Amino acid sequence: MNILLMGLPGAGKGTQSEMISRDYDMIHIATGDIFREAIKNQTELGKQAQAFTDAGNLVPDEITNNLVKERLAQSDVKANGFMLDGYPRTLNQAQALEANLKDINSSLDAVIYIKVDPEVLKERLSGRIICRSCGATYHKLYNPPKVDGVCDNCGASDFYQREDDKPEKVSHRIQLQMDSISPILDHYRQEGILHEVNGQEDIEVVYRHIRDILGE
């Protein structure tokens, strides 16, 4: 089975992908892993991608699309199917994926979108705090220190929040992702392969819904 797993930051996509990988044979393919592997092996596409990342620039769609196509054509994927994570990020990439899968006589069976209200995502993402002394990570609501203001690990009382986790930055990040993901969801909805799962339920309940889509 070939699936695409989608969700906004904080929706729980990483947790669900780990559970799917645990219980199903399909190959988990994350775009970042593809980049790292290609750069490590210094493939032609890897060298091209590295030139952009080293310069601090985004890798162009054409190179990204070809790297994904190259990975999807490998024997382990053909034998077991795949779960694609972190791609496509644009409608152009979604259309390229469709064409590239057709070229290798493959296709998507399902697109699973873990849907969470943006306000809930902001709460999840902006609650993270980090101990400045030892680097231990907590969440103000979901995983606070056992004693308020005191690190469980080292006993320090100095916490900070990453710039990216501050509420205003989180809101901007979520809005950008929503603007990017909406046309992709519409595309797969029209294709009749989009399945929306309520990501605000308990983790195990969300996973049960996903298993219903994938089949036991």
Side-chain angles (χ1 to χ4, degrees):
M1 190 173 196
N2 301 327
I3 70 168
L4 174 59
L5 190 63
M6 299 182 69
L8 293 169
K13 185 161 58 72
T15 299
Q16 296 300 326
S17 68
E18 288 177 5
M19 296 168 80
I20 294 169
S21 296
R22 179 193 68 198
D23 295 336
Y24 293 84
D25 290 333
M26 65 182 74
I27 306 300
H28 182 192
I29 300 174
T31 318
D33 293 339
I34 296 175
F35 285 155
R36 283 187 287 274
E37 189 68 18
I39 291 171
K40 176 185 171 185
N41 294 332
Q42 284 294 281
T43 66
E44 187 56 40
L45 286 171
K47 291 176 184 176
Q48 292 175 32
Q50 186 173 20
F52 286 93
T53 57
D54 283 353
N57 297 320
L58 292 174
V59 178
D61 277 358
E62 184 179 1
I63 295 175
T64 302
N65 294 337
N66 285 329
L67 279 167
V68 173
K69 181 180 180 181
E70 189 174 77
R71 181 66 184 96
L72 294 178
Q74 292 178 13
S75 58
D76 60 339
V77 175
K78 287 183 175 180
N80 298 290
F82 63 81
M83 172 175 55
L84 198 52
D85 178 2
Y87 175 95
R89 293 185 181 274
T90 66
L91 183 56
N92 285 339
Q93 287 183 353
Q95 292 166 339
L97 173 62
E98 197 170 316
N100 287 338
L101 285 172
K102 189 174 181 181
D103 285 347
I104 59 175
N105 298 312
S106 187
S107 62
L108 281 174
D109 294 302
V111 176
I112 300 173
Y113 174 54
I114 303 174
K115 186 175 181 179
V116 178
D117 184 275
E119 291 303 317
V120 174
L121 293 176
K122 290 172 191 176
E123 185 180 79
R124 288 181 181 180
L125 292 171
S126 62
R128 182 164 55 180
I129 55 173
I130 302 168
C131 174
R132 198 178 297 277
S133 178
C134 70
T137 301
Y138 301 91
H139 193 283
K140 294 174 184 176
L141 295 177
Y142 306 118
N143 180 36
K146 292 173 183 174
V147 177
D148 188 31
V150 179
C151 177
D152 298 348
N153 190 48
C154 70
S157 299
D158 187 8
F159 294 89
Y160 73 97
Q161 191 169 44
R162 293 188 333 180
E163 280 298 318
D164 281 354
D165 291 335
K166 292 182 177 178
E168 61 276 10
K169 292 287 182 71
V170 167
S171 295
H172 181 63
R173 205 160 98 225
I174 290 172
Q175 187 59 54
L176 287 177
Q177 290 271 0
M178 286 177 65
D179 292 343
S180 174
I181 206 172
S182 292
I184 304 172
L185 296 175
D186 288 341
H187 173 72
Y188 289 125
R189 191 176 287 112
Q190 290 170 8
E191 293 289 314
I193 58 173
L194 178 67
H195 301 265
E196 294 190 0
V197 175
N198 182 2
Q200 290 171 220
E201 296 184 288
D202 289 341
I203 290 171
E204 289 295 338
V205 175
V206 174
Y207 186 50
R208 191 157 64 242
H209 291 319
I210 290 175
R211 286 186 68 95
D212 287 343
I213 295 165
L214 300 180
E216 295 295 332

